[in-house]
Amino acid sequence: MRPLLKWAGGKRQLLPALEQYYPATFRRYLEPFLGSGAVFFHLASTGVLDNRAVILSDVNTDLIGCYTVVRDRTEAVIKALQSLEREHRRHGDECYYDVRDNRFNPSRATLMAESAGNGKRAATRYSADLAAMLIFLNRTGFNGLFRLNRVGGFNVPAGRYRDPKICDSDHVREVAKVLQRPGVAIQHRGFEDALREAGDGDFVYCDPPYAPLSRTSSFANYTAAGFASLDQQRLMEAVIRACRRGARVVVSNSSAPEIETAYRTRAARQAKIAVHRVPARRAINSRASARGPVDELIITNVKAGVLAAVKPRMAKAPGLKTRAAALIR
């Protein structure tokens, strides 16, 4: 199933490698850096998450607000998105900048002011119009990037698309149905809070903003505060503690030396964490020539190959979903 949003570092292309590290058994699924939710939607499409508790979380207010409203007010979001699509067809980039500068950013600023700067509170007050505008900006902005400046303003320029698909009503409804499943929770909270409760029987997937490979390759401003080296260190420490409590954790990150070094320490080895290099393709760069193959890291305490035979593309085969569920349980 396709994610609702495009997202910097989205994991659709990495799924064949990631699925080799899905644990054979688990009680709950936690995803503390939700982003596009590619891994969540992948797992949900295989039936692996049926009858299991799922906790999806992120510190990005707009992201959590949008998912919550899509789940709870699906048709209102679709109606607003259809209106934006018609307007964009008539006015193109002029519409994009009008929505960004004169509607989305002012409405977002008002919401944050009324919520006293509390991101969690603001996420619960997100409107269908704001959710539709976020999806619109995601579909028509440069490479689907979400970026905030230091004062919290969305500042991504318009993308170069001839005829972008802005409102796919059926897809929005499909996403809503998955988010409406019993046991699926959407929460606004930081990764440390989410990882603190992870323990024996839990499967945790972490897809943090990647550590930059160079000074010009950082796209970590998913919140006004960004995600710096200290945050990467805090994440590493939280992952090690979760592994020690018995959680099965999978982390994806760039192959920046600081990340590889951090997860090869004695503490990480004692938590049975291993670092694996996998080829990927850099999708977001201002220069198309720089969007080439690079190595990324899969960091995990799960041994590879447990579910290698269970692929979403095989789901039409008779009895496969039953077989997959049996393997998981």
Side-chain angles (χ1 to χ4, degrees), residues 240-255:
I240 289 176
R241 289 193 294 268
C243 290
R244 287 174 176 169
R245 293 192 298 269
R248 312 312 300 271
V249 183
V250 178
V251 181
S252 52
N253 212 318
S254 76
S255 55

Side-chain angles (χ1 to χ4, degrees), residues 39-313:
V39 171
F40 161 69
F41 288 114
H42 175 218
L43 287 166
S45 71
T46 67
V48 164
L49 299 181
D50 292 354
N51 303 315
R52 281 182 169 78
V54 174
I55 302 175
L56 308 173
S57 58
D58 204 290
V59 75
N60 185 307
T61 297
D62 299 274
L63 189 71
I64 295 302
C66 180
Y67 281 129
T68 302
V69 175
V70 166
R71 180 194 65 189
D72 298 340
R73 301 188 60 200
T74 312
E75 296 306 317
V77 173
I78 290 173
K79 182 178 180 180
L81 201 53
Q82 289 172 333
S83 177
L84 289 169
E85 183 172 55
R86 290 191 295 269
E87 187 177 347
H88 186 265
R89 286 176 178 170
R90 292 194 299 270
H91 303 293
D93 286 356
E94 180 184 343
C95 170
Y96 177 87
Y97 288 109
D98 181 60
V99 171
R100 188 192 74 174
D101 299 335
N102 300 324
R103 293 182 242 178
F104 181 76
N105 278 335
S107 296
R108 186 182 185 281
T110 298
L111 174 66
M112 294 302 295
E114 292 175 347
S115 303
N118 186 310
K120 183 176 182 179
R121 187 181 304 161
T124 64
R125 298 180 176 185
Y126 222 73
S127 68
D129 284 339
L130 266 174
M133 285 190 281
L134 179 65
I135 297 170
F136 166 81
L137 294 171
N138 181 260
R139 300 282 170 83
T140 56
F142 174 72
N143 277 357
L145 182 65
F146 182 94
R147 184 182 64 196
L148 300 178
N149 58 29
R150 292 186 178 181
V151 296
F154 183 84
N155 64 356
V156 177
R160 298 177 180 177
Y161 307 107
R162 287 187 177 181
D163 187 23
K165 181 68 173 179
I166 294 171
C167 184
D168 185 340
S169 301
D170 290 340
H171 181 235
V172 174
R173 293 185 183 102
E174 288 174 0
V175 168
K177 286 181 181 179
V178 173
L179 297 175
Q180 291 164 0
R181 290 182 181 181
V184 176
I186 305 172
Q187 301 176 351
H188 180 282
R189 60 176 177 174
F191 68 85
E192 285 177 307
D193 187 22
L195 281 166
R196 193 174 292 117
E197 70 174 52
D200 190 32
D202 290 334
F203 171 24
V204 184
Y205 173 61
C206 295
D207 182 27
Y210 275 19
L213 294 173
S214 68
R215 291 183 179 180
T216 59
S217 65
S218 178
F219 288 91
N221 293 337
Y222 304 121
T223 66
F227 201 88
S229 294
L230 180 59
D231 300 301
Q232 298 284 0
Q233 177 70 21
R234 289 166 47 224
L235 172 60
M236 182 269 292
E237 293 170 355
V239 165
I240 289 176
R241 289 193 294 268
C243 290
R244 287 174 176 169
R245 293 192 298 269
R248 312 312 300 271
V249 183
V250 178
V251 181
S252 52
N253 212 318
S254 76
S255 55
E258 66 176 279
I259 300 300
E260 192 156 9
T261 299
Y263 286 96
R264 292 189 186 277
T265 61
R266 181 179 179 183
R269 292 196 304 271
Q270 288 176 338
K272 299 182 179 179
I273 293 172
V275 178
H276 310 275
R277 279 180 169 262
V278 295
R281 184 174 181 82
R282 184 183 293 125
I284 291 186
N285 196 295
S286 59
R287 294 180 296 111
S289 61
R291 299 173 200 161
V294 294
D295 279 350
E296 294 188 7
L297 302 181
I298 295 178
I299 303 155
T300 181
N301 63 342
V302 181
K303 292 184 178 180
V306 175
L307 288 181
V310 183
K311 309 275 189 184
R313 62 177 176 271

